[in-house]
């Protein structure tokens, strides 16, 4: 629910009232600015009751002339959508992702890093360099890698600088999203996949559409900002901002690699450390700061 920025969302968990909630009620987290207060509402509560509850908590802090909006995260759209006034609260929603990564539950997606894109994509050399760093990290940590190539007959194969040794799949495609039937089958064969680390080109087309499809299938997506780009910096930056607002994690190559090892005593830490001794190129991202 929003009054400008304020929002309300059901607390995380499975269906039903949930642990700690009185029988016949649903736990709800009411958020305003930097504040969040847990409460409960009766099962079947609707718009008016939620508004009243929100105002009882924050009414003295907000401008009453603002518009209130009740929203729900729609997996099929990969974003929050406004609910009609006739809705009713019936169950708890899923917890917003925290972005944890572990090698055993992660797959890397390398999207369309092809030769014909070289002269057109902004900072393509930097993107290739960081992409290669990520693939080296995946080999060190034993993380499966899926690679696609957009219409390779016309756009060429993956650039030679990207070492595809040991990758699980290299697939041609015409669809912009990487979520092909073969990719879905490959993911189904890997036990416990929870997260996809996604990088490549173009940010606002294939990367964006892949991320939204994966989120719609319940997979957490980490987009590596310093390993993805577009022909236009405007398209690149607006896509990253839009994706972050949908709950997709926009991160960096070094953050991903260090999160995957998690501890300096990890047996592969030294090898990963060697990959990141030289900082990744900023590839125009600092222009956003």
């Amino acid at each position: 629910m929003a009054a400008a920025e304020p929002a309300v969302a059901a607390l995380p968990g499975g269906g039903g009232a949930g642990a700690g909630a009185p029988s016949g009620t649903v736990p709800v987290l009411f958020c305003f600015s930097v504040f969040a207060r847990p409460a409960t509402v009766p099962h079947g509560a609707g718009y008016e009751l939620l508004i009243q509850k929100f105002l009882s908590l924050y009414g003295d802090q907000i401008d009453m002339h603002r518009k209130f909006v009740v929203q729900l995260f729609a997996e099929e759209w990969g974003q929050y959508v406004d609910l009609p006034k006739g809705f009713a609260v019936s169950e708890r929603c899923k917890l917003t992702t925290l972005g944890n990564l572990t090698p055993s539950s992660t797959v890397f997606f390398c999207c369309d890093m092809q030769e014909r894109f070289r002269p057109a994509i902004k900072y393509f050399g930097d993107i290739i360099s960081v992409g290669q760093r990520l693939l080296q990290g995946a080999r060190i940590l034993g993380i499966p890698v899926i690679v696609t190539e957009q219409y390779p007959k016309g756009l060429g194969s993956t650039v030679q600088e990207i070492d595809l040794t040991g990758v699980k799949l290299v697939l041609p495609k015409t669809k912009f999203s990487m979520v092909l039937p073969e990719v879905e089958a490959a993911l189904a064969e890997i036990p416990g996949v929870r997260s996809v680390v996604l990088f490549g080109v173009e940010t606002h087309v294939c990367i964006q559409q892949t991320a939204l499809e994966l989120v719609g299938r319940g997979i957490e997506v980490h987009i590596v900002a310093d390993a993805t780009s577009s022909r236009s910096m405007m398209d690149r930056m607006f896509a990253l901002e839009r994706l972050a607002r949908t709950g997709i994690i926009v991160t960096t190559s070094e953050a991903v690699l260090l999160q995957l090892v998690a501890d300096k005593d990890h047996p592969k830490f030294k090898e990963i450390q060697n990959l990141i001794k030289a900082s990744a190129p900023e590839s125009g991202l600092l222009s956003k700061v």
Side-chain angles (χ1 to χ4, degrees), residues 69 123 143 145 246 270 282:
V69 178
Y123 299 99
I143 295 172
V145 177
T246 65
K270 288 291 185 184
E282 58 91 7

Side-chain angles (χ1 to χ4, degrees), residues 43-270:
H43 191 280
Y47 180 88
E48 295 300 333
L49 196 149
L50 284 173
I51 295 292
Q52 291 172 20
K53 192 76 171 181
F54 182 85
L55 290 176
S56 72
L57 295 170
Y58 299 114
D60 60 339
Q61 301 179 49
I62 62 174
D63 177 356
M64 294 302 296
H65 296 290
R66 294 185 183 182
K67 177 184 177 183
F68 288 87
V69 178
V70 182
Q71 295 185 316
L72 178 72
F73 186 78
E75 291 189 352
E76 64 268 31
W77 295 103
Q79 59 187 338
Y80 286 90
V81 296
D82 294 356
L83 289 176
K85 289 193 176 183
F87 76 91
V89 176
S90 63
E91 63 180 7
R92 302 167 77 186
C93 72
K94 295 179 181 178
L95 177 66
T96 299
T97 181
L98 297 177
N100 292 322
L101 283 173
T102 57
S104 61
S105 62
T106 299
V107 178
F108 280 20
F109 276 27
C110 176
C111 183
D112 307 349
M113 303 276 269
Q114 292 159 256
E115 191 58 46
R116 286 288 294 276
F117 290 126
R118 190 184 295 271
I121 301 296
K122 296 291 187 184
Y123 299 99
F124 193 63
D126 292 344
I127 300 307
I128 292 171
S129 171
V130 179
Q132 173 61 11
R133 179 182 297 202
L134 288 165
L135 293 182
Q136 287 178 275
R139 281 193 292 273
I140 291 168
L141 298 172
I143 295 172
V145 177
I146 293 174
V147 179
T148 58
E149 297 174 341
Q150 181 73 17
Y151 185 54
K153 182 179 178 180
L155 297 174
S157 301
T158 301
V159 296
Q160 291 185 350
E161 298 97 313
I162 296 287
D163 183 0
L164 299 182
T165 302
V167 304
K168 185 174 181 65
L169 282 177
V170 180
L171 291 170
K173 67 181 178 70
T174 56
K175 180 181 177 181
F176 294 140
S177 170
M178 290 180 68
V179 185
L180 308 170
E182 299 92 331
V183 171
E184 293 192 86
L187 289 175
E189 293 172 359
I190 305 170
V193 173
R194 190 177 68 241
S195 307
V196 164
V197 171
L198 174 62
F199 56 97
V201 300
E202 288 185 70
T203 313
H204 66 296
V205 186
C206 298
I207 295 295
Q208 179 169 275
Q209 293 184 32
T210 300
L212 294 176
E213 277 209 61
L214 289 171
V215 168
R217 285 161 170 74
I219 295 175
E220 176 185 281
V221 179
H222 298 245
I223 293 178
V224 187
D226 54 333
T228 180
S229 191
S230 299
R231 288 171 298 155
S232 155
M233 285 296 288
M234 179 183 70
D235 285 328
R236 181 190 188 192
M237 294 308 198
F238 273 94
L240 291 175
E241 183 174 347
R242 182 227 170 152
L243 291 164
R245 287 183 176 180
T246 65
I248 291 165
I249 295 98
V250 178
T251 185
T252 65
S253 56
E254 183 168 324
V256 165
L257 292 171
L258 289 177
Q259 193 170 11
L260 286 165
V261 293
D263 191 321
K264 81 170 189 65
D265 291 331
H266 189 287
K268 301 293 185 180
F269 172 72
K270 288 291 185 184

